[in-house]
Amino acid sequence: MFAVLLNMNFLLILCYYFYMIIIAVHQDISVHVRLLAIFLLHVKIIRGKAKKYIMNSGIKKERLWTLPFLLSLISLLIFASPQTPKKAATVPKTDAIEKELWNLINKERGLHSLPLLELSSALSEMARQHSLDMANQGETSHLSSNGKTLTDRLEDAGLFYVDAGENVAFSETFMAEFIHQEFFESKEHRENILDPAFIQIGIGVIHMENKGYYVTQNFLRPLVQKSDKQVSRIILERINKERRLAELPPLKQWRKAEQFAQNLAERKANGLALPDIPPEYGETLVVFLFTPSLNQEEFLFNDAVKPSYNTGALGIWFGKNRDYPGGVYSLALLLFAENRQGSLSTPDQKKIILDQVNKIRTQYGLKMLTLDEGLTEAAKRMVSKAALRGEMSVFPDNYRYESLTYGTEDLSLLPASLNSIVKKSSLRKIGIGLVHRKMRGSLSGTFMVTLLFE
């Protein structure tokens, strides 16, 4: 009977061991070790020392099975009871690491009284792509595997910016605090983190199995394009503020020339040849300026604050070129000089023409002509009639006179057809009639001149 009970106890323990094996499949390996030790202990006790101990103690034979059973039960409770394994440290997702790095950077900037950075989804996606590229290469670099730089990647992303920066690193740990500290201990990386000019940031973290974490931080001062109307208002307000300080009237805008000015701005930005200034513009000064940010100190048009220029036209072009890969405003300011001859007295205007005529006669060794009042009155009537009709084909009342009627913006410039008349040696007197008026297509106005010779 004792042997049967003893073997039953052994079988009971054996079954319980295998039951615990099934439970331990999803637990730590140490559970298997503990169960095996328990099983061997029970075998040793039940097969040997337990029997000797019980017999020497005087326990009745019919109760020999009780002690081994109790020992088995106590052993199982102590050693084989299932234990909850220790919970492994939770590894955060990469997007959580990115967000924590962003928070740590803004915390750092806050401590230095700097504006906090906005998290840009476009920049973050670009940063992730670069981190993935670095992970595939197995090294950190500011150059992509295809040789592209940060500037190239920003261009591919279609982003406009004034300034940009980049931090890259590799870390074996996922802890954002350690990654941030590694960045901050580097002078170049710290300068990007604490640059007051940057407004946006993009962060990309990529985990490569059995390697670690590749991190890219992209910093940006974005360039937001303004409309031509907004740009024009900003610049003209600045120019006119300076003109008021110089006690000059506001700069008048000549709308007709704006399209030409815009063409100049675009061609200048793209390195193309510039067209000639149309002759009807008269004396024209062109000022070019490239500016990505439109800060007021960048467009002090000194020439626009001169008394000789009271009219202008502004051309605006926005885009990217070789010198400004992030984007730039190309500005062309046309400044038109007032026709100073138009403000002269009539005698002074006539004197300019007379001097040019006599200059030609002197070159040919001819006697200089004198201004005749009678001829001048006749010329005045003729030019008034021509101005009224808007044509140059006006003939003198007396066909004894040589005559010519023409238009010009500069009284010192004589038409080539006048040479054949001026070179006649028989001429002694000249009459000059002129009218100055604004004409369509001309900014400075045009002189209509009639000359009579006798």
Side-chain angles (χ1 to χ4, degrees), residues 402-416:
E402 295 277 0
S403 68
L404 179 68
T405 299
Y406 63 94
T408 182
E409 292 183 1
D410 188 348
L411 295 175
S412 63
L413 299 178
L414 302 179

Side-chain angles (χ1 to χ4, degrees), residues 146-163:
N146 56 8
K148 290 191 173 183
T149 64
L150 171 62
T151 299
D152 297 326
R153 295 192 290 274
L154 289 167
E155 172 70 22
D156 293 342
L159 298 175
F160 290 87
Y161 60 93
V162 179
D163 196 12

Side-chain angles (χ1 to χ4, degrees), residues 294-413:
L294 291 177
N295 290 331
Q296 287 189 346
E297 63 271 17
E298 293 185 15
F299 44 76
L300 291 176
F301 291 103
N302 294 326
D303 291 307
V305 191
K306 290 183 177 179
S308 55
Y309 299 112
N310 291 323
T311 306
L314 181 65
I316 303 165
W317 178 88
F318 179 81
K320 298 181 178 182
N321 61 19
R322 184 180 302 174
D323 296 328
Y324 294 90
V328 68
Y329 292 96
S330 174
L331 309 176
L333 178 65
L334 275 62
L335 296 170
F336 306 106
E338 295 296 319
N339 193 326
R340 290 183 289 273
Q341 293 176 346
S343 61
L344 297 176
S345 65
T346 302
D348 288 338
Q349 293 171 347
K350 292 177 180 179
K351 185 177 185 303
I352 293 174
I353 298 174
L354 180 61
D355 288 344
Q356 293 301 314
V357 169
N358 283 328
K359 183 178 179 180
I360 296 174
R361 289 182 64 85
T362 301
Q363 291 174 349
Y364 287 94
L366 300 174
K367 187 176 181 179
M368 292 192 295
L369 302 179
T370 59
L371 187 62
D372 182 79
E373 291 185 7
L375 289 177
T376 296
E377 284 296 322
K380 184 177 178 181
R381 290 193 298 269
M382 287 179 62
V383 77
S384 298
K385 192 181 297 184
L388 184 63
R389 295 177 181 177
E391 58 184 37
M392 304 297 178
S393 57
V394 180
F395 300 98
D397 297 333
N398 191 330
Y399 289 95
R400 293 185 301 107
Y401 305 142
E402 295 277 0
S403 68
L404 179 68
T405 299
Y406 63 94
T408 182
E409 292 183 1
D410 188 348
L411 295 175
S412 63
L413 299 178

Side-chain angles (χ1 to χ4, degrees), residues 83-135:
Q83 298 181 12
T84 302
K86 293 182 180 180
K87 190 174 182 180
T90 303
V91 178
K93 294 182 178 180
T94 53
D95 58 350
I97 301 175
E98 293 170 359
K99 187 173 182 181
E100 182 61 22
L101 287 171
W102 174 47
N103 290 331
L104 289 169
I105 287 174
N106 274 339
K107 181 179 179 181
E108 207 74 62
R109 289 174 69 91
L111 292 174
H112 290 78
S113 301
L114 297 172
L116 305 186
L117 297 177
E118 305 168 5
L119 187 62
S120 164
S121 58
L123 276 179
S124 293
E125 181 58 32
M126 192 182 81
R128 291 187 195 104
Q129 291 300 319
H130 186 59
S131 291
L132 178 60
D133 186 70
M134 291 192 299

Side-chain angles (χ1 to χ4, degrees), residues 75 112 143 170 221 233 265 299 355 399:
S75 299
H112 290 78
L143 283 178
F170 169 78
R221 180 185 174 191
R233 184 177 66 250
F299 44 76
D355 288 344
Y399 289 95

